């Protein structure tokens, strides 16, 4: 304690306010034995693990389509198309339409990691404390706030190109034209690339939230000493 008072007395003579705040922030928090620097590092590590484990899975073939939590279904305007096609015995055509949407999302997710890494690096001491003591998905919410716009910008052209490359545009033109030709139906023509982009983003944040909840609530998932010490503060 005497060393702490001495430090706080001498430091103002040597540094400005910003430097003093940085030193104060790095001092051990009373009663915890965990510094703000460690808290921030622990949050970054947890997010890095979530990104590496969950986002990587989504980028694999069937990463979206085989995962019920994030599988991309038809937009509301086209769900009646799906039902109608299946009722008419054209389930294989409807299934193919779903698969190409999910394939496009899988292609786009490969663009996500660098943006997430940059956002994780920007976590401040204040961010870290608030995130740690927040709800079960506070870290995911932080990422969502920081990355949604840049991810959309990166995802959308990839998804557009992917839909074109695998013939999704032709597939959906065929589906929609056949549906629109049916009697007593209202023509539909949604922006599929925009829809799939938003669904892909939702899927990414959903899976990162899964990993965050696991680390927060399951001690066995805190696989490093740093994670154990930091997340013990919120237990």
């Amino acid at each position: 304690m005497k060393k702490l008072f001495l430090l706080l007395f001498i430091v103002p003579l040597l540094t400005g306010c910003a430097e003093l705040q940085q030193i104060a922030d790095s001092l051990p928090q009373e009663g915890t034995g965990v510094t703000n620097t460690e808290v921030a590092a622990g949050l970054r590590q947890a997010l890095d693990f979530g990104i590496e484990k969950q986002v990587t899975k989504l980028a694999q073939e069937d990463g979206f389509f085989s995962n019920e939590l994030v599988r991309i279904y038809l937009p509301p305007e086209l769900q009646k198309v799906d039902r109608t096609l299946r009722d008419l015995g054209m389930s294989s055509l409807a299934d193919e339409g779903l698969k190409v949407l999910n394939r496009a999302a899988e292609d786009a997710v490969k663009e996500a990691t660098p943006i997430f890494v940059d956002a994780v690096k920007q976590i401040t001491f204040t961010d870290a404390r608030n995130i740690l003591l927040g709800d079960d998905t506070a870290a995911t919410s932080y990422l969502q706030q920081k990355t949604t716009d840049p991810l959309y910008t990166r995802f959308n052209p990839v998804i557009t190109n992917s839909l074109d490359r695998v013939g999704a545009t032709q597939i959906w033109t065929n589906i929609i034209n056949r549906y629109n030709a049916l009697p007593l139906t209202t023509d539909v023509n949604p922006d599929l690339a925009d829809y799939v982009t938003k669904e892909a983003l939702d899927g990414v944040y959903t899976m990162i939230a899964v990993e965050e909840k696991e680390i927060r609530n399951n001690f066995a998932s805190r696989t490093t000493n740093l994670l154990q010490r930091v997340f013990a503060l919120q237990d």
Side-chain angles (χ1 to χ4, degrees), residues 5 12 19 28 31-32 54 56 63 69 83 96 119 133 142 162 193 200:
F5 281 121
E19 289 80 4
T32 68
Q54 300 296 348
T56 301
L69 287 177
R83 290 192 298 270
E96 185 63 22
L133 300 178
Y142 168 87
S162 180

Side-chain angles (χ1 to χ4, degrees), residues 88-108:
L88 295 175
M90 292 184 280
S91 294
S92 60
L93 181 62
D95 286 341
E96 185 63 22
L98 286 181
K99 284 183 179 180
V100 294
L101 300 185
N102 285 270
R103 290 287 183 272
E106 291 155 12
D107 285 345

Side-chain angles (χ1 to χ4, degrees), residues 16-116:
C17 292
E19 289 80 4
L20 175 59
Q21 184 60 49
Q22 185 176 10
I23 291 172
D25 284 338
S26 66
L27 291 172
Q29 302 300 298
E30 185 175 357
T32 68
V34 180
T35 68
N36 278 334
T37 300
E38 289 174 314
V39 171
L43 260 297
R44 293 186 190 110
Q45 188 175 90
L47 284 171
D48 284 340
F49 284 0
I51 292 165
E52 180 180 358
K53 181 177 179 180
Q54 300 296 348
V55 177
T56 301
K57 287 181 182 178
L58 291 178
Q60 298 172 357
E61 184 172 324
D62 284 335
F64 274 83
F65 190 74
S66 65
N67 186 337
E68 288 288 347
L69 287 177
V70 297
R71 180 185 295 168
I72 298 174
Y73 293 95
L74 297 181
E77 299 91 339
L78 285 180
Q79 287 176 5
K80 54 189 176 182
V81 178
D82 184 83
R83 290 192 298 270
T84 301
L85 290 173
R86 295 182 191 280
D87 289 344
L88 295 175
M90 292 184 280
S91 294
S92 60
L93 181 62
D95 286 341
E96 185 63 22
L98 286 181
K99 284 183 179 180
V100 294
L101 300 185
N102 285 270
R103 290 287 183 272
E106 291 155 12
D107 285 345
V109 168
K110 298 171 185 176
E111 301 286 319
T113 299
I115 293 174
F116 280 137

